[in-house]
Amino acid sequence: MSDRFDKSRLPSRHVSVGPERAPQRSYYYAMGMTEEDIAKPFVGIASAGNDSAPCNTLLDAQADIAREGVIEAGGTPRRFNTITVTDGIAMGHQGMKASLVSREVIADSVELSVRGHCYDAVIGYAGCDKSLPGMMMAMLRLNVPSIFVYGGSILPGRFHDQDVTVVDVFEAVGQHSAGNCPLQELIELEKVACPGHGACGGQFTANTMACVAEAVGLSLPNSNMAPAPYETRDDMARAAGRQIMNLIERNLRPRDICTRDAFINAARVVAATGGSTNAALHLPAMASEAGIDFDLFDVAEIFKTTPYLADLKPGGKYVARDMHDAGGVYMLMKTMMDNGLINGDCITVTGKTLGENIDEVVWNPDQKVIYDVQHAITATGGVVGLRGSLAPEGAIVKVAGMARLQFRGPAQVFECEEDAFAAVKQRQIKEGSVVVIRNEGPKGGPGMREMLATTAALYGQGMGEKVALITDGRFSGATRGFCIGHVGPEAADGGPIGLIEEGDMINIDAEAGTIDLEVDEAILAGRRKKFVQRETDYGSGALWRYAQNVGPAYKGAVTHPGAKAEKHVYADI
């Protein structure tokens, strides 16, 4: 082994060094490894690749190319896989209950594979909404040198000479139910909206978290926004493989990188891109893995002072490919740092600070996607936190592209998403109402479903700006309109959302950051005495177990105490 690496301090010594490890080494020889391979650091390359959806189909191939970079730089790569639940397919039915749960399963499975086989570092490949934060959570939990790589976004489809994404298909379902989209046109759209490999193309959850990975310092600069089919992704894979060996040599770990200031940078990038509200769930969960207190209210405070800069779908004009062509996340952070919105002192996986990485970027005034801070689309961010009598533990709404920021109306109450979607389909939603969908929180769902099928159908019917929706569940990063998620405490915990009755007045002000139920406290106290938690259909299995362990949404809906309670760090075994 090279003098660069001292195996006596690496976890892999427990499975490869000394006479007592002869049985383990016999397995390595069985797989074609040499004595020299066994003496090198072991790099776990985790891939969420599978055939579930186009966001995952190229991940294994990219992960295999990363192996080449590891070998070139003196390491021994060990590939393994984890699961994915893909929201676009899970959406609109009971399968969506598995989505957020999969984030924990991904983090747990990567942790267990690395622990069990004593890998010295991790390169993680992910391409779908929950696999991105799940992979990064595992890295922070293990705290071995790590690099996160996104599989890349899909290219936009073309329909009627316009760029389209899968969201256009969801909204076309609503147009069809309203009689404004013939079935044949819907069929034609569904066949062209997703033209190949890669994750959903707008600034939905996957691309939002890909931006987070670069902003928080866990990804190489401008490695994530290149579309999945681009050949440059092969170069990025090799670069990640080579760089992970430098991180092992330096012992530069995720918790050295993901400091509180780094999470603040990431939250600013979410707001500046009009990103997914789900980031307000995933950033606190990632921070918990690092032992950092960083909840929904911290995220919301940062959003208040961050301008909206990137004109991305669903609220804007452009898709991820356009963001990449415009210079990517680092082009965005260039103008943000120049105007004091990014802390450049945070270290990154390059071994340099974020500021040093950004200094290599030259601002491009000719691109149209990213506005400079002095000419922001709006003065405050595309995502807003809310708090009030209806949501003492907070709520969140994406306001990017919205003209209306206040809404007051009577409640139309639904006990689950299926009931709400049926009412939308039957055109029973009244203009001016606040649609309440409850019992969909982390515990009550269980699993905190996204509601894109419902919101997109409303938009397709032309009702998107005429009603508001609130839920203790979640909305997709692809959702647009006055849609408020993460309302806490959830109904299953007896939160105010569980006490709302038909016709109650609800007042929402996204400028002031408030959400209030206009019902006298004495009346609510009476309702609270009569409150009975709605039972779910899940009395066993993974969803039941999740419901027993999951915490509140404002803290990230995590299922374990995080780094603050750990008694040892895996990296130091």
Side-chain angles (χ1 to χ4, degrees):
M1 185 177 68
S2 165
D3 292 337
R4 289 175 61 196
F5 308 109
D6 178 7
K7 189 116 174 178
S8 68
R9 66 174 178 82
L10 298 178
S12 64
R13 71 187 185 278
H14 294 295
V15 295
S16 62
V17 176
E20 67 276 14
R21 300 310 178 200
Q24 285 90 340
R25 289 194 294 273
S26 72
Y27 275 30
Y28 300 138
Y29 289 124
M31 292 183 282
M33 291 170 63
T34 65
E35 191 172 343
E36 290 75 20
D37 295 331
I38 296 169
K40 295 173 182 176
F42 291 177
V43 177
I45 302 182
S47 170
N50 53 54
D51 293 341
S52 301
C55 43
N56 308 314
T57 44
L58 292 184
L59 295 178
D60 286 351
Q62 293 186 37
D64 281 338
I65 293 170
R67 288 208 249 205
E68 298 173 12
V70 171
I71 293 168
E72 287 172 19
T76 295
R78 301 283 83 198
R79 261 258 287 119
F80 64 93
N81 280 65
T82 186
I83 68 159
T84 309
V85 172
T86 298
D87 290 2
I89 291 175
M91 194 72 67
H93 56 88
Q94 293 279 314
M96 178 49 76
K97 292 178 184 286
S99 172
L100 186 58
V101 181
S102 76
R103 184 190 73 179
E104 313 310 306
V105 173
I106 290 161
D108 291 350
S109 64
V110 172
E111 176 198 358
L112 292 175
S113 191
V114 171
R115 280 188 184 274
H117 303 109
C118 292
Y119 296 145
D120 302 317
V122 175
I123 300 173
Y125 269 88
C128 210
D129 294 5
K130 307 310 169 300
S131 55
L132 278 80
M135 195 70 73
M136 289 187 278
M137 286 163 67
M139 293 172 174
L140 286 158
R141 187 183 303 175
L142 294 160
N143 205 32
V144 289
S146 301
I147 295 177
F148 175 81
V149 191
Y150 181 42
S153 71
I154 200 169
L155 293 170
R158 294 291 291 178
F159 188 68
H160 292 175
D161 205 31
Q162 297 285 326
D163 280 353
V164 292
T165 71
V166 69
V167 177
D168 295 282
V169 186
F170 275 104
E171 293 184 2
V173 171
Q175 293 168 356
H176 174 67
S177 70
N180 298 326
C181 177
L183 179 60
Q184 188 55 42
E185 186 165 315
L186 177 60
I187 292 170
E188 290 172 11
L189 173 61
E190 74 181 54
K191 290 180 178 178
V192 299
C194 300
H197 302 284
C200 300
Q203 194 64 348
F204 315 145
T205 304
N207 284 321
T208 298
M209 295 310 296
C211 291
V212 161
E214 291 195 39
V216 85
L218 283 178
S219 290
L220 293 172
N222 285 326
S223 60
N224 286 345
M225 297 309 286
Y230 280 22
E231 291 183 2
T232 53
R233 299 213 65 86
D234 292 355
D235 298 331
M236 296 167 189
R238 288 189 188 89
R242 290 191 295 266
Q243 183 58 20
I244 197 71
M245 302 309 298
N246 290 328
L247 298 185
I248 294 172
E249 183 179 19
R250 289 185 53 170
N251 195 27
L252 181 58
R253 301 178 176 187
R255 295 185 199 173
D256 301 326
I257 292 167
C258 296
T259 61
R260 183 176 180 82
D261 285 338
F263 281 111
I264 291 170
N265 286 341
R268 286 206 185 280
V269 165
V270 172
T273 59
S276 169
T277 54
N278 285 307
L281 198 67
H282 301 322
L283 286 172
M286 290 170 59
S288 176
E289 301 287 0
I292 297 169
D293 290 325
F294 193 72
D295 63 22
L296 171 64
F297 301 116
D298 295 308
V299 174
E301 281 300 311
I302 295 158
F303 287 170
K304 283 181 184 177
T305 57
T306 308
Y308 174 35
L309 302 174
D311 192 9
L312 297 168
K313 288 178 179 285
K317 300 177 187 174
Y318 299 104
V319 295
R321 177 204 57 190
D322 304 316
M323 176 83 165
H324 171 69
D325 293 346
V329 183
Y330 269 78
M331 186 63 67
L332 171 75
M333 291 194 293
K334 178 73 172 177
T335 184
M336 293 177 74
M337 195 171 87
D338 287 349
N339 288 273
L341 293 170
I342 289 286
N343 183 331
D345 294 334
C346 299
I347 197 73
T348 72
V349 291
T350 64
K352 301 176 183 177
T353 65
L354 188 67
E356 288 171 328
N357 294 340
I358 292 172
D359 283 344
E360 297 177 15
V361 176
V362 177
W363 175 254
N364 177 6
D366 298 323
Q367 54 80 29
K368 306 296 183 186
V369 181
I370 304 163
Y371 289 62
D372 70 80
V373 170
Q374 302 304 318
H375 302 90
I377 301 170
T378 55
T380 54
V383 187
V384 172
L386 306 173
R387 194 175 195 173
S389 63
L390 180 48
E393 290 183 356
I396 198 154
V397 59
K398 179 188 285 193
V399 297
M402 281 173 49
R404 183 178 185 178
L405 296 179
Q406 289 86 24
F407 201 105
R408 182 177 181 272
Q412 275 189 268
V413 183
F414 300 94
E415 302 299 337
C416 63
E417 185 194 9
E418 284 85 356
D419 292 352
F421 186 74
V424 172
K425 196 173 178 182
Q426 294 161 21
R427 309 298 299 276
Q428 294 173 352
I429 303 300
K430 301 166 189 171
E431 185 174 330
S433 68
V434 178
V435 178
V436 177
I437 307 174
R438 62 191 178 196
N439 303 302
E440 294 289 4
K443 184 186 298 183
M448 203 178 185
R449 278 195 286 186
E450 291 181 351
M451 312 287 176
L452 178 60
T454 300
T455 61
L458 274 170
Y459 231 95
Q461 291 177 358
M463 293 284 283
E465 304 289 342
K466 298 175 182 176
V467 297
L469 279 84
I470 68 169
T471 182
D472 50 8
R474 300 178 294 129
F475 290 114
S476 166
T479 289
R480 55 183 175 147
F482 221 135
C483 300
I484 296 149
H486 306 198
V487 171
E490 62 175 295
D493 282 332
I497 190 171
L499 307 178
I500 299 171
E501 293 185 359
E502 199 81 10
D504 286 351
M505 294 302 293
I506 294 171
N507 194 353
I508 307 158
D509 189 332
E511 281 189 323
T514 58
I515 178 167
D516 291 302
L517 176 60
E518 297 181 355
V519 176
D520 187 84
E521 183 53 43
I523 294 173
L524 289 179
R527 293 180 187 177
R528 198 170 282 114
K529 289 179 182 177
K530 300 175 186 176
F531 175 79
V532 177
Q533 182 177 337
R534 179 175 178 268
E535 287 191 11
T536 76
D537 295 333
Y538 298 90
S540 64
L543 292 175
W544 175 86
R545 185 167 58 243
Y546 180 83
Q548 310 313 304
N549 295 321
V550 69
Y554 82 99
K555 290 187 175 181
V558 295
T559 55
H560 72 108
K564 281 199 165 185
E566 71 186 3
K567 296 181 180 179
H568 83 278
V569 179
Y570 163 77
D572 294 326
I573 62 170

